[in-house]
Amino acid sequence: MSPDALQQALTPDRWPALIMVTARVTGLMLSAPLWSMTQMPTAVRAAITVVLSILLLPSVPPVELPVQPFDLPLPLALEGLIGVTTGLTAAVLVQGAALAGEMLGVQMGISMGPAVFVMPDLPNSEFGSLFGLFATVLYLGVDGHLALVAGLADGLRALPPGGAVAIASGATVSAGLLGTVFSTAASVAGPVLATLLLAHVAMALLNRAVPQLNALMTSFPITIGAGLLAMGIALPVMAGVLVDGFSQLPDAVDAILGSWRLTAGGR
């Protein structure tokens, strides 16, 4: 941290801008992968938030706080919401991968116990956590966390904190990010789900041909084996889907910030 940036942050006339920038950075830290991980100590996240806010402060124009103290929570909440939606552009991809793992666990029969017998002593499927960690590693490998910080820095210039924002369009586009979770899950798990569908159809035909065969008990090792084999073959395809999504993070962040920007004639 340069002494000039620290001195500027301590100047009283820059405190309003620092407060707004900190609110936006805090929103990013609450939703973005890696930064929002519970394994990261709260003190570390708070320190990173303060350091990033001070480093980004020189690029922010002066901000005037509302005259009435009760008018301050709304601008701070909006800045935090903009930061949260910025982090969600990457978080939805990681959560989509985790959802794909849960879908595969259910279709392969690994999660059948917790799904049928809801008991606290039955272990849950680890496929969701495994796929989530796999997506997080790819996210770090393509420097997605740095892309979000860079997008946040560019957004402070394109969408200055404390200014008027288009709440309706921003909220609409941000809510649309939830659909990315399901589309990502379908894209990641698609090849393996197709293989499992063929395995289930084959078992159904075999059960019709040989009624004495216990299809339920026989299907478990077949679907698990076919699912693991298909998963190993389709692993490059799964990684390609996630890497392609993470590589488009700068455009996604620009689109999100553009939806919050108040256009000419907008309200």
Side-chain angles (χ1 to χ4, degrees), residues 20 22-28 30-31 74-86:
M20 293 296 180
T22 303
R24 189 176 297 191
V25 175
T26 301
L28 178 71
L30 291 176
S31 62
L74 180 58
L76 288 178
L78 289 176
E79 293 299 325
L81 185 58
I82 293 173
V84 168
T85 54
T86 302

Side-chain angles (χ1 to χ4, degrees), residues 96-120:
L99 179 60
E102 292 294 339
M103 292 168 56
L104 294 179
V106 172
Q107 293 300 318
M108 291 168 59
I110 297 178
S111 302
M112 187 60 67
V116 177
F117 301 101
V118 184
M119 298 177 63

Side-chain angles (χ1 to χ4, degrees), residues 108 192 195-196 199 221-231:
M108 291 168 59
V192 184
T195 303
L196 292 175
I222 293 178
T223 54
I224 293 175
L228 293 177
L229 179 62
M231 196 180 303

